[in-house]
Amino acid sequence: MNMKNDFQEVLLNREDLKEIVRRIGRDIKERYCGKEITLVVPLTGAMVFAADLMRELYPVCDVRLICMQISSYGENACSSGEIKVLLDAPIEKVAGKKIIIVEDIVDTGATLNWLVNHLLEKGAEEVETCVLVDKAAARKIPVVLDYVGRQIPNEFVVGYGLDYAGKYRHVPKIAILKKEVYEK
Ligand code: XMP
Ligand code: MG
């Protein structure tokens, strides 16, 4: 078995990812120099990006981390649009805080839009959004993106945290998955 055969095209390799993380880190450091910032990371996909990004903010920002688990996708390669909260953010860690949601990917926008509103309802002072890859062509719900890694085509991608049915999260690049892999 060679996993590489499952990929149609590599969109971002290790170097691209490093460069993106560095650039977004620089932008966040400029804005939050010497300040406290809380990163909200929706598990599981965003954990790889968030782990790299948060270390980029040292020692300039005072970083706090909240993991949430919400699910909108199940095992399909297309969004169901339904949000389930499996692990919520504690209100005392959200209320009055400046927050950046760190997401792996924005597709329809449903998940991110829901998350922004959810955190504002819990009393966050400010909620910014940071996404590694943006499938703008798939957007159904408009959502403001404050930090964006790269625009990508409207294709199903895996790697660097992103999965298909739990697979490929450890791939150190982002690649388009061959349709025959998920249309089998
Ligand atoms: P929405 O439609 O709510 O989708 O913006 C965001 C969530 O859907 C998942 N997603 C993907 N996961 N490859 C993946 O592995 C993809 O191409 C893809 N597109 C959407 C992802 O979990 C994200 O949080
Ligand atoms: Mg997923």
Side-chain angles (χ1 to χ4, degrees):
M1 189 221 43
N2 185 344
M3 216 166 249
K4 285 182 178 174
N5 296 332
D6 295 350
F7 305 147
Q8 180 186 311
E9 187 191 338
V10 173
L11 296 179
L12 299 170
N13 62 29
R14 288 177 197 255
E15 284 311 308
D16 299 325
L17 289 164
K18 258 191 212 153
E19 200 184 299
I20 287 169
V21 168
R22 228 175 276 141
R23 179 195 16 108
I24 293 179
R26 213 181 301 130
D27 292 346
I28 294 176
K29 281 187 282 190
E30 239 166 60
R31 170 122 215 251
Y32 294 97
C33 182
K35 298 198 177 117
E36 184 184 308
I37 183 77
T38 299
L39 306 183
V40 169
V41 182
L43 298 173
T44 303
M47 63 171 285
V48 179
F49 175 43
D52 283 344
L53 182 64
M54 67 188 294
R55 284 173 291 177
E56 223 23 75
L57 306 179
Y58 174 82
V60 175
C61 308
D62 177 9
V63 174
R64 313 299 164 96
L65 182 70
I66 300 175
C67 292
M68 286 184 68
Q69 191 163 18
I70 54 179
S71 94
S72 65
Y73 241 44
E75 298 220 328
N76 307 320
C78 64
S79 187
S80 67
E82 210 181 292
I83 312 275
K84 256 193 293 180
V85 184
L86 305 172
L87 175 67
D88 206 350
I91 194 154
E92 68 276 11
K93 292 187 178 176
V94 171
K97 303 290 186 185
K98 291 184 196 301
I99 286 177
I100 303 178
I101 300 169
V102 179
E103 246 301 26
D104 44 14
I105 190 164
V106 201
D107 190 311
T108 63
T111 309
L112 198 54
N113 178 64
W114 182 90
L115 258 177
V116 170
N117 291 328
H118 183 71
L119 294 167
L120 287 172
E121 277 164 21
K122 279 184 185 272
E125 185 189 316
E126 189 184 353
V127 180
E128 286 199 315
T129 58
C130 170
V131 301
L132 178 63
V133 289
D134 175 22
K135 282 192 205 174
R139 198 78 82 255
K140 289 185 184 146
I141 299 170
V143 50
V144 176
L145 304 181
D146 296 292
Y147 311 92
V148 181
R150 182 74 70 83
Q151 300 290 337
I152 60 164
N154 191 8
E155 304 275 0
F156 194 78
V157 295
V158 294
Y160 200 66
L162 290 160
D163 70 306
Y164 171 63
K167 241 177 118 164
Y168 308 109
R169 292 197 198 276
H170 65 307
V171 175
K173 49 198 168 188
I174 290 189
I176 298 176
L177 193 61
K178 281 184 185 164
K179 286 211 169 54
E180 64 223 50
V181 175
Y182 56 87
E183 281 176 356
K184 263 193 277 214

